[in-house]
């Protein structure tokens, strides 16, 4: 049985906790604490530690889903989990103050994962906020990365089907890279 660790990252309110809840087959574990950063987000609680859930793909592949804290002051946790991760679902809320800037920042922060694994971008809260177009997001991705294939979708983090599409496209990407690497190794 193959196991994958997939991370969920993105700004506060991007829908990380919600997405993991929508996907997980087990009761998710979320560590929330009082939000002390009301200027950035007017929420009562915010994720300071981790969200955790699990989903099985097919009958074999167990996927461990970890939601990372959105605030940079917790970014030591990003690094610890990044070492174990094969892929990243990067969620950006369309109603963030500067969603394209946030996207570029997160892509830079997780650059190691484009090279080693895969990234998929999900744009959330597009139903409630008029923000940049998918084309704008795709352009930011093209500018921020060199030649990485990073799909971008509009998703609703509350919708399990949307999130499964997102996750499956990421896993397909990861597996095709692994297959390619294997072929190259055999040919060498
Ligand atoms: N309308 C709408 N609400 C969403 C969407 N995605 C997430 N939300 C809501 O946005 C809020 C913030 O989500 P949360 O998962 O707490 O964000 P986190 O800070 O990234 O963990 C919650 O109330 C979600 O229900 C979306 O696509 N559309
Ligand atoms: Mg959260």
């Amino acid at each position: 049985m193959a196991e994958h660790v997939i991370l969920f990252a993105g700004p506060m309110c991007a829908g990380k906790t919600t997405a993991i809840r929508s996907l997980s087959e087990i009761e998710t574990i979320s560590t929330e604490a009082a939000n002390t950063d009301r200027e950035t987000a007017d929420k009562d609680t915010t994720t300071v530690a981790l969200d955790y859930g699990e989903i099985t793909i097919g009958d074999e592949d167990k996927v461990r889903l970890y939601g990372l804290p959105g605030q940079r002051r917790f970014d030591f946790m990003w690094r610890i989990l990044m070492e174990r991760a094969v892929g990243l679902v990067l969620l950006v809320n369309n109603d963030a103050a500067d969603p394209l800037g946030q996207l570029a920042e997160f892509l830079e922060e997780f650059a190691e994962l484009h090279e080693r694994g895969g990234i998929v971008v999900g744009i959330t809260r597009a139903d409630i906020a008029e923000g940049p177009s998918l084309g704008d997001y795709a352009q930011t991705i093209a500018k921020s990365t060199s030649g990485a294939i990073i799909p971008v979708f509009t998703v609703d983090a509350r919708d399990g089907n949307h999130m499964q599409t997102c996750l499956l496209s990421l896993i397909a990407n990861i597996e095709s890279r692994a297959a390619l690497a294997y072929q190259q190794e055999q040919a060498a």
Side-chain angles (χ1 to χ4, degrees):
M1 172 154 164
E3 283 202 350
H4 301 291
V5 170
I6 302 282
L7 307 183
F8 287 68
M12 224 197 272
C13 276
K16 302 175 293 294
T17 301
T18 308
I20 290 175
R21 267 189 208 143
S22 301
L23 283 166
S24 185
E25 290 158 357
I26 61 159
E27 187 83 27
T28 56
I29 299 158
S30 293
T31 323
E32 301 270 335
N35 180 18
T36 53
D37 190 5
R38 284 273 171 182
E39 269 170 39
T40 308
D42 193 19
K43 282 183 14 166
D44 291 336
T45 61
T46 188
T47 308
V48 293
L50 280 181
D51 299 298
Y52 177 75
E54 290 176 6
I55 184 171
T56 312
I57 307 281
D59 7 282
E60 303 237 311
D61 287 335
K62 182 163 175 182
V63 183
R64 298 182 182 278
L65 313 165
Y66 287 94
L68 300 182
Q71 295 148 302
R72 253 153 221 270
R73 63 176 177 274
F74 300 109
D75 73 359
F76 69 98
M77 308 237 341
W78 293 7
R79 318 238 161 276
I80 294 170
L81 281 163
M82 203 143 97
E83 279 171 27
R84 297 181 50 204
V86 295
L88 171 71
V89 177
L90 179 51
L91 297 176
V92 177
N93 44 318
N94 213 32
D95 57 346
D98 173 18
L100 296 174
Q102 295 268 16
L103 174 58
E105 262 182 52
F106 275 89
L107 286 172
E108 194 188 325
E109 200 73 46
F110 288 96
E112 193 191 321
L113 273 172
H114 328 153
E115 285 142 36
R116 183 157 57 75
I119 298 186
V120 61
V121 174
I123 307 302
T124 59
R125 297 167 66 93
D127 56 313
I128 51 170
E130 199 157 335
S133 69
L134 269 187
D136 296 332
Y137 286 108
Q139 216 168 46
T140 298
I141 292 171
K143 270 192 250 162
S144 311
T145 60
S146 51
I149 298 165
I150 299 182
V152 53
F153 300 98
T154 302
V155 293
D156 189 324
R158 298 165 301 176
D159 186 319
N161 287 329
H162 285 194
M163 294 318 306
Q164 277 198 25
T165 303
C166 214
L167 185 66
L168 288 175
S169 80
L170 175 60
I171 290 173
N173 208 346
I174 291 165
E175 295 199 327
S176 56
R177 272 171 203 246
L180 202 65
Y182 176 77
Q183 280 171 3
Q184 281 166 353
E185 209 174 280
Q186 295 296 301

